Amino acid sequence: NCIVTSHGHVMLPAPDAVTACLDSLLTIAAGGWDLERIAEPQCLAEMQDFHDPALISHVLRSYCRPGAPPAPDGTPVWALDIPKVCRFRARQLFEAAASWREADFMAQWSA
């Protein structure tokens, strides 16, 4: 997944930046946001001091799905895609411990 800037340039976000932004989103959302109705403007406002707005929008598009119904004023609303987030975390765990056997991983994951 890439980010297209306002000038039309294409960038690949650094994996660590995506991880940090997703972690921030999950931390803030755990404070009481409805994970099925994450308002993009609110998310941008709360996270822009820590992450570039283009990266925040990228993480929303990559790890959420469009919320339904959309906000009455047309504001983008997102629903956290739990399976995508879990696959992302599982991939991180496998990369960190590449020598894990699948059975060991599954035992640890389900604990």
Side-chain angles (χ1 to χ4, degrees), residues 23-86:
D23 287 345
S24 294
L25 172 63
L26 295 173
T27 300
I28 292 170
W33 285 2
D34 179 354
L35 299 180
E36 293 293 316
R37 307 236 356 117
I38 300 170
E40 186 168 338
Q42 178 186 9
C43 188
L44 288 167
E46 296 213 20
M47 294 176 59
Q48 69 184 354
D49 289 343
F50 310 104
H51 306 285
D52 185 271
L55 179 62
I56 298 166
S57 294
H58 169 77
V59 166
L60 288 171
R61 286 189 316 274
S62 298
Y63 298 100
C64 298
R65 60 188 185 288
D73 64 357
T75 299
V77 176
W78 298 93
L80 191 66
D81 191 326
I82 303 295
K84 280 187 181 178
V85 173
C86 290

